[in-house]
Amino acid sequence: MPPRRVITGRSQEPRKRFVQELSALRAQKGDSLRKLGEVLGWDWSLFGKMESGETLGGPEVVQALDQYYGTPGLLLTLWELAAGDLTQFRERYRRYMILEAEAVSLWHYGVSVLPGLLQTEGYARELLAAGGASGGELTRQVKARIGRRELLDGDGAPRFRAIVSETVLRTPLRDAQCWQEQLEHLAAMAERPNFTLHVLPTASGLHGLVSTDVMFLRMPDGRTVAYTENAHQGQLVEEAAPVEGLQLAYDFVRDLAMPPVESRKFVMRMLEEAPWDPST
């Protein structure tokens, strides 16, 4: 059978197709981004980020766009396909991505870097570049990582508890402005009702997760899976016994960490001490 002929000439990749349809519909309407923001009540920069592929936006804004453009359900359907498209992630992460999207709560411990769900674009770009990504591949990986943050938005967002080593917050980015933005984002996240932040002081000493980043996902059926990671590889752990062992280590680390109020104060102190960028 010959391959299906592409009629529209637009991308068959869900995320790219969503972006293309957004741009095409606004062009047909003849609106500027600012006009769109004024009419729909969102900051116009959000629509610019959606059309550049930097973010998918949330379902509420997509439904509003569907209503405005007179395309009931079209954009929302494309948004759902784009949000569920795992081809943007490396193969070894795809099973984890599926589980992460279904989780009802998440617990994380970070020994060396902030978890992807808390990273700003500047932080993600410098970190991924340090790992060897460059050019178009770097841009794609950054967009994919930033897109994951939408998991924590909206009424149905899962609860998320993160414990970060003090070392993470004392390891700045090379770009002073990007580092300030990352700390500001972390402080803002710490005020959200569905997010709890703990900082683990370096004086806490050795513990069972001293060299391991770990994320626990509580699934709708009540089971918990874990994902461990270091600089070179990650491993999904689904067997009950090893998951329980990791949870016991996590509980011990949480007992050593600062409480949420003190942790946010620590982040604010780091922000005050951050190098000042005179260009900002």
Side-chain angles (χ1 to χ4, degrees), residues 95-96 99-100 102-108 159 214-228 235-248 250-251:
R95 168 68 175 161
Y96 170 78
L99 295 173
E100 183 184 72
E102 297 174 352
V104 296
S105 61
L106 309 94
W107 305 273
H108 180 268
R159 295 194 61 81
V214 61
M215 177 74 88
F216 297 97
L217 308 176
R218 182 74 169 178
M219 306 309 298
D221 60 7
R223 67 193 175 98
T224 299
V225 301
Y227 186 79
T228 61
Q235 179 180 4
L236 185 64
V237 183
E238 300 187 68
E239 297 79 11
V243 169
E244 183 177 0
L246 287 167
Q247 284 184 299
L248 289 173
Y250 184 87
D251 289 343

Side-chain angles (χ1 to χ4, degrees), residues 83-103 106 116-117 144-145 147-149 151 215 217 219 225 227 229 236:
D85 179 24
L86 302 180
T87 60
Q88 59 189 310
F89 300 103
R90 292 180 178 178
E91 181 66 36
R92 73 173 184 266
Y93 295 128
R94 291 181 187 175
R95 168 68 175 161
Y96 170 78
M97 292 292 107
I98 293 172
L99 295 173
E100 183 184 72
E102 297 174 352
L106 309 94
L117 290 174
R145 179 161 297 185
R148 288 175 56 206
R149 299 193 324 193
L151 177 70
M215 177 74 88
L217 308 176
M219 306 309 298
V225 301
Y227 186 79
E229 189 172 28
L236 185 64

